[in-house]
């Protein structure tokens, strides 16, 4: 947030000095950066609070809301940038001044945003925080738009073709809008409990490794209803494991607990719940071993 506020001031100073539509686009996205960072700060703090009576599954899904909020702000910024660029291109052409100072300020902002963005993406992925990763991607995108602004100013400076400025700003608006839509889609997927394909493969591998007489201990006859979902960085998994009918309750519970623990250790921040069912297959090779 602190970096975002400083860069916001730098970019608007550059816009006021130059009158560049491309720099205006870059500065407007910085407003989104600051607002999104504020919400991300709130979301990450809330998401890491432990579960309570009113929220037995924890508060992790607020991170998906944070990503959706950021995506919505980005789309609004893209629309404003497009409107401003079309206005400059078609109706109110502006004379770009003091290009050298503008280039320096935007270059400084680009380096700072890129560095902070890469850091947040790495931190978000290592901690499983979608809110941090989304904010990092937004900052990295902001750095890319700064590159576009630099290109636009460079073209104007060396060729005098002023139309390059609003045209580049329009391209930036399209790129920013695409990123906003992507964040909204990921946010919706998380809220709707869309399953992660990589996690699904890993969970299926773990469960399959325990099936049959050649499986690892504890052995089960089969499994079904394997499901999982995310709540921010937290994983929630449930499954039905079929075991020999002659096992007692304690033995069945021991099998379920062992597989639950294995899943939780593999996924990290996870809570797995197994339901035990008796095997009714008279030809089951695993049952004949008991």
């Amino acid at each position: 947030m602190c970096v975002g506020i400083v860069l916001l001031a730098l970019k608007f100073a550059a816009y006021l000095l130059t009158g560049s539509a491309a720099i205006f686009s870059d500065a407007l996205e910085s407003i989104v950066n600051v607002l999104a960072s504020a919400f991300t700060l709130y979301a990450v703090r809330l998401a890491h609070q432990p579960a309570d009576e009113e929220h037995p599954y924890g508060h992790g899904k607020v991170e998906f809301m944070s990503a959706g909020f950021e995506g919505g702000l980005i789309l609004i910024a893209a629309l404003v940038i497009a409107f401003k660029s079309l206005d400059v291109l078609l109706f109110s052409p502006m004379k770009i001044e003091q290009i050298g100072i503008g280039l320096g300020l935007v270059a400084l902002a680009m380096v700072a945003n890129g560095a902070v963005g890469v850091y947040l993406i790495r931190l978000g992925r290592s901690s499983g925080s979608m809110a941090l990763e989304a904010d990092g991607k937004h900052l990295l995108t902001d750095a890319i738009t700064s590159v576009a602004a630099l290109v636009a100013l460079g073209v104007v400076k060396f060729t005098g073709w002023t139309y390059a400025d609003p045209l580049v700003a329009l391209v930036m608006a399209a790129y920013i809008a695409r990123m906003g839509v992507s964040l909204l889609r990921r946010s919706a997927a998380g809220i709707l409990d869309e399953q992660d394909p990589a996690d699904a493969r890993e969970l299926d591998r773990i469960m399959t490794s325990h099936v049959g007489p050649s499986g690892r201990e504890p052995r089960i006859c089969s499994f079904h209803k394997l499901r999982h979902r995310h709540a921010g960085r937290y994983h929630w998994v449930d499954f039905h494991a079929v075991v020999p009918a002659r096992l007692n309750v304690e033995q069945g519970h021991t099998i379920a607990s062992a597989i639950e623990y294995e899943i939780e250790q593999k996924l990290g921040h996870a809570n797995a719940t197994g339901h035990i069912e008796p095997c009714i297959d008279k030809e089951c090779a695993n049952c004949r071993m008991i």
Side-chain angles (χ1 to χ4, degrees), residues 83-241:
F83 178 81
K84 172 70 174 177
S85 303
L86 288 172
D87 180 59
V88 172
L89 186 64
L90 301 175
F91 306 110
S92 308
M94 299 179 66
K95 183 180 179 181
I96 301 177
E97 302 174 341
Q98 302 189 54
I99 296 178
I101 297 176
L103 285 169
L105 292 176
V106 173
L108 178 62
M110 176 193 68
V111 173
N113 267 332
V116 177
V118 169
Y119 170 73
L120 284 178
I121 291 172
R122 289 179 177 176
L123 183 62
R125 288 175 177 173
S126 64
S127 63
S129 171
M130 183 180 177
L132 287 178
E133 185 179 347
D135 205 35
K137 286 183 177 179
H138 186 187
L139 289 174
L140 199 57
T141 300
D142 198 11
I144 294 172
T145 58
S146 294
V147 173
L150 289 173
V151 170
L153 288 178
V155 171
V156 174
K157 181 177 177 64
F158 293 107
T159 68
W161 190 51
T162 56
Y163 286 109
D165 182 59
L167 287 174
V168 168
L170 278 174
V171 173
M172 290 164 60
Y175 177 73
I176 293 168
R178 180 181 177 185
M179 190 195 69
V181 170
S182 175
L183 283 177
L184 285 172
R185 285 177 175 172
R186 286 193 63 193
S187 172
I191 292 174
L192 295 175
D193 293 330
E194 181 178 300
Q195 300 209 98
D196 183 282
D199 285 349
R201 289 191 295 270
E202 185 61 32
L203 290 170
D204 185 75
R205 184 196 65 78
I206 291 173
M207 296 300 300
T208 302
S209 70
H210 292 281
V211 174
S214 60
R216 298 188 295 113
E217 291 285 356
R219 297 187 184 92
I220 58 176
C221 302
S222 63
F223 66 93
H224 56 275
K225 291 187 178 180
L226 174 61
R227 303 179 299 179
H228 69 279
R229 61 186 178 90
H230 286 265
R233 62 176 181 153
Y234 298 97
H235 304 258
W236 300 88
V237 182
D238 58 84
F239 60 89
H240 288 209

Side-chain angles (χ1 to χ4, degrees), residues 218-223 240-249 251-253 255-256 259 275-281 284 286-287 290:
R219 297 187 184 92
I220 58 176
C221 302
S222 63
F223 66 93
H240 288 209
V242 179
V243 301
R246 63 175 62 97
L247 297 183
N248 59 39
V249 174
Q251 290 172 313
H253 172 73
I255 290 173
I259 298 176
H275 172 75
I276 295 298
E277 296 180 1
C279 182
I280 58 174
D281 182 4
C284 177
N286 192 54
C287 290
I290 303 298

Side-chain angles (χ1 to χ4, degrees), residues 4-5 7-8 11-12 21-37 70-71 73-78 80-81 113 134-149 169 171-180 183:
I5 291 170
L7 296 183
L8 173 62
K11 289 180 181 180
F12 268 102
I23 292 182
F24 173 79
S25 304
D26 205 12
L28 192 64
E29 196 186 358
S30 288
I31 297 177
V32 177
N33 283 346
V34 173
L35 293 175
S37 293
E70 190 156 358
L73 287 177
I74 290 171
L75 276 180
I76 293 172
V80 175
I81 291 168
N113 267 332
D135 205 35
K137 286 183 177 179
H138 186 187
L139 289 174
L140 199 57
T141 300
D142 198 11
I144 294 172
T145 58
S146 294
V147 173
V171 173
M172 290 164 60
Y175 177 73
I176 293 168
R178 180 181 177 185
M179 190 195 69
L183 283 177

